[in-house]
Amino acid sequence: WINRSVDLDLLGFHVPVAWFNSIDPFISIVFVPVLIVLWKWQDSRGGEPGEIIKISTGAWMACAANLLLFVGSTISDRVNVIYPILYDCILGVAFLYYWPTLLALVSRAAPAGLKATLMGVVFLSLFVSNILVGWLGGFYERMTPAGFWAMHAGIAAVGGTLALLLNKPLTRRLAHH
């Protein structure tokens, strides 16, 4: 999609396509201390979001990132390079909201005898999710780019909504762990 649909010129510089594979992980590394400071600041004011809300926030950020590409694909056949750069930046931060939080939640809440098994299940879910992402990628050839990114935004919105709906019951259930 980037090769075919993105204008890779940024202020006179041609952004190599391969660089897009590095933006998301780079942002995930750089923003760790930023989010630690943010969450400590929120905690000092009694407002740090709980684990399920952080996971939901990550899903909604992924939704927003995909909506950004949807908008870019809708307004132009040659999307400005800023759109996929921002997409990767948002996804890098979204990852920090849901993945380490999920790992910490399972590690904390799992019964001692099942902790290792349930941590394995979390990583298995990542494996299955990546297979599903590859399967969803197959729809790209049969959809418009805008439809493809809207589908991904919708999937992320479902995840964000489910986490919000399950927040109270899960938080109550996990409160004693």
Side-chain angles (χ1 to χ4, degrees), residues 4 131-149 151-152 155:
R4 285 191 264 174
I131 289 173
L132 288 174
V133 166
W135 177 74
L136 287 172
F139 287 99
Y140 179 77
E141 297 298 325
R142 293 178 268 164
M143 300 174 77
T144 65
F148 183 75
W149 299 121
M151 175 183 66
H152 281 73
I155 292 167

Side-chain angles (χ1 to χ4, degrees), residues 14-146:
H14 183 79
V15 179
V17 172
W19 285 15
F20 288 91
N21 290 327
S22 302
I23 296 170
D24 180 342
F26 175 75
I27 293 298
S28 290
I29 292 167
V30 168
F31 268 81
V32 167
V34 173
L35 286 180
I36 288 171
V37 168
L38 172 65
W39 292 337
K40 283 184 178 185
W41 178 80
Q42 289 174 325
D43 186 47
S44 71
R45 285 159 178 69
E48 180 183 4
E51 294 157 321
I52 306 300
I53 295 299
K54 285 180 183 175
I55 292 168
S56 176
T57 300
W60 284 109
M61 290 175 80
C63 175
N66 283 284
L67 284 175
L68 188 65
L69 294 186
F70 166 79
V71 168
S73 295
T74 302
I75 62 176
S76 176
D77 288 337
R78 294 294 291 171
V79 177
N80 187 297
V81 71
I82 293 298
Y83 283 85
I85 290 172
L86 288 175
Y87 166 85
D88 280 334
C89 290
I90 294 168
L91 283 185
V93 176
F95 173 81
L96 292 174
Y97 268 89
Y98 64 79
W99 186 247
T101 304
L102 178 60
L103 292 174
L105 174 63
V106 171
S107 177
R108 176 184 59 78
L114 290 176
K115 195 171 299 248
T117 301
L118 291 178
M119 290 298 289
V121 169
V122 172
F123 280 96
L124 181 63
S125 75
L126 181 63
F127 169 77
V128 170
S129 297
N130 280 310
I131 289 173
L132 288 174
V133 166
W135 177 74
L136 287 172
F139 287 99
Y140 179 77
E141 297 298 325
R142 293 178 268 164
M143 300 174 77
T144 65

